[in-house]
C-alpha cells in the first residue's frame, strides 16, 4: 500500500463486493482487491477504479455496480460519501472533471432510486 492509499478516508459501505483479478467476471467494472477485502482495501480499489475508467464508462460502471449490490440506493450514497471524504484526490483539472461527472451521475441515480421506491 502506498502513502496515497494510507491517507484515503473510507466510507461506511455495507456491501463490499470485490474480487481478486483471477475471479473477475468483468475486469473493466469489477472492483479488484487482491488482499483481504476490508473497508480500506475496498475504498482504495474503488477510487483507483474511478481514476482508471474513462468518464464515458462511468454510467455503465454505476449500472454494473447497481446490479451487483442488494441495495443500490445505499451503495450510491456511500460512493458519494467516499468521494466527498477524498476530494483532495481529485485536485487536478482532469480529475476534477471526473469528480463532477460522477457527482452528476450519483444525483441522477439517487433520484431514480427514489422514484423506484
Amino acid at each position: 500500500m502506498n502513502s496515497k492509499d494510507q491517507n484515503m478516508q473510507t466510507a461506511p459501505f455495507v456491501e463490499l463486493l470485490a474480487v481478486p483479478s483471477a475471479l473477475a467476471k468483468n475486469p473493466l467494472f469489477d472492483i479488484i482487491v487482491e488482499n483481504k477485502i476490508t473497508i480500506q482495501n475496498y475504498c482504495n480499489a474503488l477510487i483507483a477504479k474511478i481514476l482508471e475508467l474513462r468518464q464515458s464508462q462511468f454510467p455503465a460502471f454505476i449500472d454494473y455496480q447497481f446490479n451487483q449490490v442488494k441495495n443500490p440506493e445505499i451503495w450510491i450514497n456511500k460512493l458519494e460519501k467516499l468521494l466527498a471524504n477524498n476530494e483532495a484526490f481529485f485536485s487536478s483539472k482532469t480529475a476534477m472533471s471526473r469528480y463532477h461527472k460522477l457527482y452528476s451521475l450519483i444525483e441522477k441515480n439517487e433520484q431514480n432510486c427514489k422514484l423506484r421506491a
Side-chain angles (χ1 to χ4, degrees):
M1 182 178 350
N2 64 35
S3 61
K4 185 177 175 180
D5 290 342
Q6 291 172 343
N7 295 329
M8 171 123 16
Q9 293 183 38
T10 63
F13 282 90
V14 178
E15 295 179 74
L16 304 178
L17 295 178
V19 295
S21 57
L23 298 178
K25 294 176 184 154
N26 185 339
L28 183 62
F29 294 146
D30 280 332
I31 299 167
I32 308 293
V33 174
E34 297 299 344
N35 304 322
K36 181 179 178 188
I37 299 173
T38 64
I39 191 74
Q40 185 70 56
N41 289 340
Y42 179 81
C43 290
N44 292 349
L46 184 50
I47 290 287
K49 181 64 70 177
I50 287 166
L51 292 173
E52 79 182 32
L53 289 172
R54 293 189 314 267
Q55 289 184 42
S56 62
Q57 295 170 318
F58 288 168
F61 172 71
I62 289 175
D63 286 346
Y64 181 79
Q65 294 303 317
F66 268 31
N67 289 325
Q68 304 300 308
V69 296
K70 291 178 186 160
N71 192 327
E73 187 173 6
I74 290 175
W75 185 86
I76 200 81
N77 288 334
K78 301 311 177 196
L79 176 61
E80 183 177 23
K81 178 75 170 166
L82 180 66
L83 292 175
N85 287 347
N86 295 285
E87 228 175 285
F89 286 89
F90 298 91
S91 57
S92 75
K93 196 176 214 181
T94 54
M96 187 56 75
S97 174
R98 294 172 165 280
Y99 185 79
H100 290 297
K101 171 90 175 191
L102 271 170
Y103 256 102
S104 56
L105 287 169
I106 286 168
E107 288 175 7
K108 178 183 171 193
N109 280 287
E110 284 176 335
Q111 291 170 354
N112 288 342
C113 285
K114 288 176 185 167
L115 291 174
R116 284 186 230 149

